[in-house]
């Protein structure tokens, strides 16, 4: 783990002001990525997480670098929350050698095992059983590390969700299953695909704790994950947490989300996790009003500089496809 990544990771673990700054950084880069895609500089597809920053930073702030994290193709925010730099993330998204895995993974396959981030999953729900396997590894080795699976509400209706959690519950694996319920499975509102109001209620079927958490509140996310992690480290098995959140962008690429009912976006935007957390820090005296604009301006400049560096970087050569092959 580089000293820069390690310092970034420690900052969100120990400093609430740094958590605010990381949330701003995630939003700033994600906004820029949509523009880069429109310019034709992002190949394939991309899925951004504006509005879900409190989940990413709240989870990372409660974990150790030795814990394992499995997340989805909407993983840019989690990667940065865990410590990855905008240069590493943007480099991977744009397919350049400065990316976290040399530009060969792209937007949907970020990875940095030094911070516990396994390759992000393009297959819906695939990270659930993999996290159970990582938790089994920790259990067998006798460490007190935990494995976290982050997945969307759509993944809660597939077989891997039930199988992975069932196995983890039977074996009391040190795992935390976290549903980022952003209200939509691709283009389908959750009420049209899921017959219950709270996915966390399914925890009772497996005899494990389930909790609904305000995913727009980074402090609430941090507290819930810390409690679940303490339980897992103590040998008491897995938990299912449901983070109620909302994505401000569409599902992917140029999706403008015309399927949203009128007023829904505005209702969620009134509880923007960045704005509300910033106001809380100002009220607590940890930030001044002027700091909010200053942080936004500084981070905007840093992200712009990272993007310029990525644009100047080389693309991986043909030989790259033969690297990192184990057999």
């Amino acid at each position: 783990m580089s000293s820069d990544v390690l310092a970034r990771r420690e900052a969100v673990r120990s400093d609430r002001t740094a958590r605010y700054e990381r949330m701003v950084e995630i939003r700033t880069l994600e906004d820029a990525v949509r523009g880069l895609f429109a310019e034709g500089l992002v190949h394939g597809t991309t899925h951004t997480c504006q509005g879900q920053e409190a989940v990413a930073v709240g989870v990372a702030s409660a974990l150790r670098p030795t814990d394992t994290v499995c997340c989805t193709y909407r993983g840019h925010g989690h990667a940065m929350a865990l410590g990855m730099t905008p240069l590493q993330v943007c480099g991977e998204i744009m397919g350049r050698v400065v990316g976290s895995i040399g530009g060969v993974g792209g937007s949907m396959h970020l990875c940095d095992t030094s911070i516990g981030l396994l390759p992000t999953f393009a297959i819906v729900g695939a990270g659930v059983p993999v996290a159970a396997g990582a938790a089994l590894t920790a259990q067998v080795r006798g460490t007190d590390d935990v494995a976290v699976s982050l997945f969307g509400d759509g993944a809660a209706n597939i077989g891997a969700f039930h199988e992975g959690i069932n196995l983890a519950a039977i074996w009391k694996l040190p795992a935390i299953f976290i549903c980022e319920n952003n209200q939509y499975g691709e283009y389908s509102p959750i009420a049209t695909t899921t017959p219950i109001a709270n996915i966390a209620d399914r925890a009772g079927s497996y005899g494990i704790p389930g909790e609904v958490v305000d995913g727009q509140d980074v402090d609430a996310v941090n507290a819930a994950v810390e409690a679940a992690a303490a339980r897992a480290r103590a040998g008491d098995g897995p938990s299912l947490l449901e983070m109620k959140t909302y994505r401000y962008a569409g599902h992917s690429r140029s999706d403008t989300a015309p399927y949203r009912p009128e007023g829904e976006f505005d209702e969620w935007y009134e509880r923007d996790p960045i704005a509300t957390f910033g106001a809380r820090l100002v009220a607590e005296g940890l930030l001044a009003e002027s700091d909010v604009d200053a942080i936004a301006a500084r981070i905007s400049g840093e992200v712009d500089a990272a993007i310029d560096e990525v644009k100047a970087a080389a693309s991986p050569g043909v030989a790259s496809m033969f690297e990192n092959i184990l057999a």
Side-chain angles (χ1 to χ4, degrees):
M1 182 184 297
S2 72
S3 58
D4 184 30
V5 171
L6 182 60
R8 285 169 56 83
R9 181 60 174 277
E10 183 55 35
V12 298
R13 280 169 49 82
S14 60
D15 186 344
R16 291 176 69 236
T17 300
R19 293 173 196 174
Y20 173 76
E21 294 182 356
R22 191 65 52 82
M23 290 166 67
V24 173
E25 180 183 77
I26 293 168
R27 176 76 59 88
T28 303
L29 181 62
E30 292 288 62
D31 286 345
V33 165
R34 293 185 70 82
L36 292 168
F37 184 88
E39 293 178 47
L41 296 174
V42 178
H43 303 294
T45 189
T46 190
H47 308 79
T48 57
C49 69
Q50 293 96 324
Q52 300 178 212
E53 296 88 354
V55 178
V57 174
V59 169
S61 67
L63 299 177
R64 303 171 182 169
T66 54
D67 295 328
T68 303
V69 178
C70 299
C71 68
T72 73
Y73 48 73
R74 201 180 306 280
H76 310 158
H78 288 289
M80 284 191 285
L82 291 168
M84 206 179 287
T85 66
L87 178 68
Q88 292 173 300
V89 172
C90 192
E92 198 58 43
I93 292 170
M94 292 174 63
R96 306 299 172 93
V97 295
V98 293
S100 64
I101 52 174
V104 299
S107 172
M108 292 197 289
H109 300 291
L110 301 172
C111 176
D112 188 343
T113 54
S114 74
I115 54 175
L117 181 64
L118 296 184
T120 54
F121 292 85
I123 298 174
V124 173
V128 177
V130 173
L136 177 60
T137 298
Q139 187 183 72
V140 169
R141 288 179 172 174
T143 70
D144 66 346
D145 295 330
V146 303
V148 175
S149 173
L150 290 137
F151 51 90
D153 44 286
N157 293 326
I158 69 170
F161 168 86
H162 301 282
E163 293 165 0
I165 295 180
N166 186 71
L167 188 68
I170 291 169
W171 289 349
K172 288 191 176 296
L173 298 180
I176 310 172
F177 300 101
I178 301 176
C179 177
E180 290 186 270
N181 183 355
N182 64 16
Q183 315 305 311
Y184 286 89
E186 293 191 344
Y187 316 105
S188 302
I190 187 171
T192 67
T193 64
T194 307
I196 56 175
N198 298 316
I199 289 168
D201 292 346
R202 290 180 171 167
S205 300
Y206 306 106
I208 65 173
E211 181 182 356
V212 175
V213 182
D214 182 358
Q216 303 303 89
D217 184 340
V218 67
D219 288 334
V221 174
N222 169 268
V225 177
E226 280 194 342
R231 183 175 182 275
R233 296 189 207 282
D236 294 329
S239 303
L240 173 62
L241 306 177
E242 179 183 2
M243 309 294 178
K244 301 278 193 181
T245 185
Y246 195 79
R247 56 170 164 81
Y248 294 155
H251 169 62
S252 66
R253 293 180 284 186
S254 57
D255 174 25
T256 59
Y259 42 80
R260 289 172 171 155
E262 184 177 354
E264 182 183 80
F265 175 91
D266 295 333
E267 179 180 344
W268 280 93
Y269 198 71
E270 287 178 3
R271 299 189 60 247
D272 185 323
I274 296 175
T276 54
F277 189 47
R280 182 179 302 162
L281 295 180
V282 169
E284 293 176 5
L286 295 176
L287 288 179
E289 291 280 2
S290 58
D291 291 334
V292 173
D293 291 337
I295 288 170
R298 172 174 57 79
I299 289 176
S300 179
E302 292 170 355
V303 169
D304 286 346
I307 291 172
D308 288 341
E309 188 172 346
V310 171
K311 287 179 177 179
S315 299
V318 174
S320 297
M321 74 174 71
F322 301 108
E323 297 173 357
N324 304 311
I325 296 174
L326 302 180

